[in-house]
Amino acid sequence: MSRHPSTKWAQRSDKVFLTIELPDAKDVKLNLKPEGHFDFSAKVADDIPYELDLELFDAVNVEESKAAVAPRTICYLIKKAESKWWPRLLKKEGRPPVFLKVDWDKWQDEDDEDLGLGDFSDMDFSKLGMGGADDDMEDDEEDDVVESANKDGEGSKAEESKGEEAPAAAAEEAKP
């Protein structure tokens, strides 16, 4: 009997992201048909077989879909035949299988796609000023300056209080 690997999915209006989590998979076989039928099979250590047989919600474009087999995951970018949002991944209504989960790291709501949220491909993160390894030295220098200013402030307060005592003492001496 074969097992089902943990599988995550997310979508955009024009594509579906399918991520099969199966470390050290060998003999990986992927089959995608235009009507939306997806088959997967692989083996792991001790030749334990894993399989998926999914009937996707709608038709797909097999020629523009791409797969990538990595050491820990198998990722499949499935291009939809029509650019529209699916209400679910599978054609069958009801509760999805327990091994099928939403990929919240890639998930984007339909409303967010028009705004371009979640698309960080052209963003330069170095300009955000979020800090790095060499920022610690600058923080230490700033702390030293603040401590120095605090010490100077304490010294001037002490001098001010001595100055206030002197006129009071002079006033007392002036009394007959």
Side-chain angles (χ1 to χ4, degrees), residues 7-40:
T7 305
K8 294 193 224 175
W9 77 283
Q11 72 171 318
R12 302 289 185 276
S13 62
D14 61 335
K15 60 189 156 234
V16 172
F17 300 99
L18 206 58
T19 305
I20 301 167
E21 298 174 333
L22 192 61
D24 302 324
K26 55 187 176 186
D27 300 330
V28 175
K29 293 181 179 103
L30 299 163
N31 186 17
L32 181 65
K33 295 179 183 169
E35 64 273 5
H37 192 90
F38 174 75
D39 290 317
F40 164 82

Side-chain angles (χ1 to χ4, degrees), residues 6-115:
S6 178
T7 305
K8 294 193 224 175
W9 77 283
Q11 72 171 318
R12 302 289 185 276
S13 62
D14 61 335
K15 60 189 156 234
V16 172
F17 300 99
L18 206 58
T19 305
I20 301 167
E21 298 174 333
L22 192 61
D24 302 324
K26 55 187 176 186
D27 300 330
V28 175
K29 293 181 179 103
L30 299 163
N31 186 17
L32 181 65
K33 295 179 183 169
E35 64 273 5
H37 192 90
F38 174 75
D39 290 317
F40 164 82
S41 66
K43 294 181 181 178
V44 294
D46 297 331
D47 287 332
I48 299 171
Y50 281 82
E51 293 180 356
L52 280 178
D53 186 11
L54 304 175
E55 193 66 40
L56 301 177
F57 183 79
D58 206 353
V60 296
N61 185 335
V62 176
E63 290 82 31
E64 291 186 34
S65 299
K66 302 172 189 172
V69 179
R72 300 189 60 77
T73 59
I74 295 95
C75 298
Y76 213 133
L77 177 75
I78 301 171
K79 186 77 172 164
K80 295 178 181 178
E82 288 183 56
S83 186
K84 65 179 183 179
W85 286 84
W86 294 352
R88 59 189 173 276
L89 178 66
L90 303 178
K91 188 170 282 199
K92 181 182 169 191
E93 288 188 44
R95 191 177 186 123
V98 295
F99 59 84
L100 189 60
K101 298 175 175 73
V102 172
D103 189 345
W104 294 113
D105 292 334
K106 293 179 182 161
W107 188 263
Q108 188 177 55
D109 287 328
E110 190 173 353
D111 300 340
D112 295 340
E113 186 175 51
D114 297 336
L115 300 172

Side-chain angles (χ1 to χ4, degrees), residues 101-175:
K101 298 175 175 73
V102 172
D103 189 345
W104 294 113
D105 292 334
K106 293 179 182 161
W107 188 263
Q108 188 177 55
D109 287 328
E110 190 173 353
D111 300 340
D112 295 340
E113 186 175 51
D114 297 336
L115 300 172
L117 298 175
D119 183 18
F120 302 110
S121 59
D122 60 344
M123 184 176 252
D124 184 6
F125 288 95
S126 66
K127 294 183 179 177
L128 292 177
M130 295 176 73
D134 56 343
D135 286 347
D136 292 339
M137 294 185 70
E138 291 175 17
D139 289 342
D140 291 342
E141 291 172 7
E142 289 175 12
D143 290 342
D144 293 343
V145 171
V146 170
E147 288 176 18
S148 172
N150 287 341
K151 287 179 184 173
D152 290 344
E154 290 171 6
S156 63
K157 285 180 184 174
E159 290 173 11
E160 287 175 13
S161 63
K162 287 180 185 174
E164 289 174 7
E165 291 173 11
E172 286 182 55
E173 290 177 13
K175 288 182 184 175

